[in-house]
């Protein structure tokens, strides 16, 4: 996925404090702003590393939808009640006999020097991880990354027009939307999440 020209902190568009998907689960308050729009966090094209010994799966993706079928679930809802916020939450999502973990990479622009990757178990107590469990682990990984990035050097250039992906503070979990996890970026041994930020 190519880098986009939108800013995480645009000069003329205030970041919303509301979740665009907060009305996806019955009983949760609808705080959607009509002007909110999604900005895709870039992922990184990858190539297989010579001699790499990470376990490799076939092309695999796990989608995250709300119970009423909307694509993407907010970090806030995943953190508060993943089983209630995600469709097919208790469904096992990996079927890879003999493999117990996957490598997940965060390719947030300007912070690749942090080498933000983590091994995430896909077998829990001998049983394949569920969609809700996987979502919770992804959110926890991103939260740990945000905490590290706030105090790290930002290495990407920015322009007045395009702004910056610099993480001076942790983005609101209600504005971060987890849509998918896949290994379709060129290296079957490494997974990346498709994340959107709702702004406006």
């Amino acid at each position: 996925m190519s880098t986009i020209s939108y800013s995480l902190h645009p000069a003329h568009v205030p970041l919303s404090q509301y979740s665009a998907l907060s009305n996806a689960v019955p009983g949760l308050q609808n705080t959607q702003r009509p002007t909110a729009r999604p900005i895709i966090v870039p992922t990184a094209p990858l190539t297989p590393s010579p001699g790499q010994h990470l376990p490799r799966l076939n092309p695999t993706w796990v989608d995250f939808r709300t119970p009423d079928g909307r694509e993407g679930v907010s970090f806030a809802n995943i953190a508060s009640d993943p089983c209630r916020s995600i469709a097919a939450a208790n469904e096992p999502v990996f079927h890879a006999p003999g493999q117990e973990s996957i490598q997940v990479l965060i390719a947030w622009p300007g912070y690749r020097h942090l080498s933000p990757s983590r091994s995430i178990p896909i077998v829990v107590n001998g049983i394949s991880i569920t969609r809700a469990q996987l979502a919770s682990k992804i959110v926890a990984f991103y939260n740990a990354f945000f905490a590290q990035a706030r105090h790290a050097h930002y290495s990407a250039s920015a322009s007045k027009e395009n702004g910056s992906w610099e993480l001076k503070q942790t983005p609101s979990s209600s504005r971060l939307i987890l849509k998918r996890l896949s290994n379709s970026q060129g290296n079957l041994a490494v997974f990346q999440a498709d994340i959107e930020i709702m702004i406006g």
Side-chain angles (χ1 to χ4, degrees):
M1 186 179 298
S2 60
T3 302
I4 56 175
S5 59
Y6 293 101
S7 169
L8 176 60
H9 304 290
H12 304 294
V13 182
L15 294 179
S16 171
Q17 298 299 316
Y18 303 90
S19 168
L21 297 183
S22 59
N23 64 338
V25 180
L28 296 183
Q29 184 179 5
N30 179 5
T31 54
Q32 181 175 359
R33 284 187 172 185
T35 57
R37 69 183 188 278
I39 301 300
I40 300 171
V41 177
T43 56
L46 303 173
T47 56
S49 301
Q52 187 177 47
H53 298 295
L54 291 173
R56 299 176 61 180
L57 290 174
N58 292 325
T60 303
W61 59 90
V62 180
D63 291 321
F64 300 93
R65 295 179 176 272
T66 63
D68 63 354
R70 300 186 188 189
E71 185 179 18
V73 183
S74 75
F75 277 32
N77 285 346
I78 292 170
S80 64
D81 193 346
C83 290
R84 187 166 170 246
S85 303
I86 302 171
N90 296 317
E91 177 183 70
V93 289
F94 283 100
H95 304 279
Q99 184 166 334
E100 296 190 352
S101 65
I102 58 172
Q103 197 73 14
V104 177
L105 170 71
I106 295 177
W108 198 281
Y111 295 98
R112 290 294 300 276
H113 60 285
L114 296 179
S115 299
S117 64
R118 175 177 292 185
S119 177
I120 290 183
I122 59 173
V123 176
V124 179
N125 298 324
I127 301 173
S128 180
I129 195 171
T130 67
R131 196 179 308 272
Q133 291 170 329
L134 178 61
S136 295
K137 291 183 181 297
I138 294 170
V139 168
F141 180 23
Y142 266 83
N143 287 337
F145 163 73
F146 291 143
Q148 182 184 17
R150 285 201 312 270
H151 306 288
H153 173 68
Y154 177 68
S155 62
S157 60
S159 67
K160 182 178 180 181
E161 293 79 14
N162 295 339
S164 169
W165 286 95
E166 186 174 8
L167 291 165
K168 295 180 179 179
Q169 60 186 13
T170 300
S172 170
S173 61
S174 64
R175 291 188 285 109
L176 290 165
I177 310 299
L178 173 62
K179 299 181 67 178
R180 173 180 293 183
L181 183 74
S182 71
N183 61 349
S184 60
Q185 293 85 13
N187 187 339
L188 293 177
V190 180
F191 284 75
Q192 295 183 67
D194 289 347
I195 305 293
E196 287 184 344
I197 301 176
M198 302 303 297
I199 68 170

